Amino acid sequence: MIMLYGSQRDYDAMAGRPGGDPPPMTPEQVAAMHAHMEAVHAEIAESGELVEGHGLTAPVHARRIRLRRGAPVVTDGPYPETQEVLAGFTIVDCVSFDRATEIAARFVNPDAEGEYVDVRPVAEGIEDLH
């Protein structure tokens, strides 16, 4: 699974609500990001390596559930202590972890300093957790 990260500011920029310092993505950068994501997904779909991929809604629509003294406590997002959130994921089925890493690297924007994605195998069973 390739995990893609973002922030509430990124979602605001995609919705046309710019703000913050430094400024979020321009509309042109948002369009370029969407085009790039679509192109990478199309490429890995054509190669037969794409299993599934989805973006997630903005952090403002999230809920965090914790237990306090055995009772659930629900907190609506976004969470001020969280700078980044899981923004989406892509699941690939390929010949090796190295190949998954190559695919994951395609999702990183070379123009965005410090941007990253994570890639982790999906556990098929308890034996994969070791």
Side-chain angles (χ1 to χ4, degrees), residues 25-106:
M25 297 177 281
T26 65
E28 294 78 20
Q29 289 169 317
V30 170
M33 177 197 62
H34 284 189
H36 176 74
M37 298 294 281
E38 288 175 17
V40 173
H41 277 107
E43 179 185 308
I44 59 179
E46 187 168 314
S47 72
E49 296 169 305
L50 178 64
V51 174
E52 187 172 2
H54 294 281
L56 300 174
T57 61
V60 70
H61 302 294
R63 287 188 174 155
R64 179 168 291 157
I65 299 92
R66 299 176 190 213
L67 289 180
R68 287 207 182 115
R69 291 183 222 111
V73 176
V74 179
T75 305
D76 291 331
Y79 315 110
E81 71 277 7
T82 304
Q83 293 300 313
E84 65 182 10
V85 296
L86 185 63
F89 66 91
T90 298
I91 298 176
V92 296
D93 184 4
C94 49
V95 298
S96 68
F97 191 61
D98 287 339
R99 174 62 183 143
T101 302
E102 290 172 10
I103 294 169
R106 300 270 331 277

Side-chain angles (χ1 to χ4, degrees), residues 3 5 8 12 25 36 57 59 62 74 81 112 114 127-128 130:
M3 294 169 280
Y5 296 92
Q8 183 63 51
D12 290 344
M25 297 177 281
H36 176 74
T57 61
V74 179
E81 71 277 7
E127 63 279 355
D128 292 335
H130 301 283

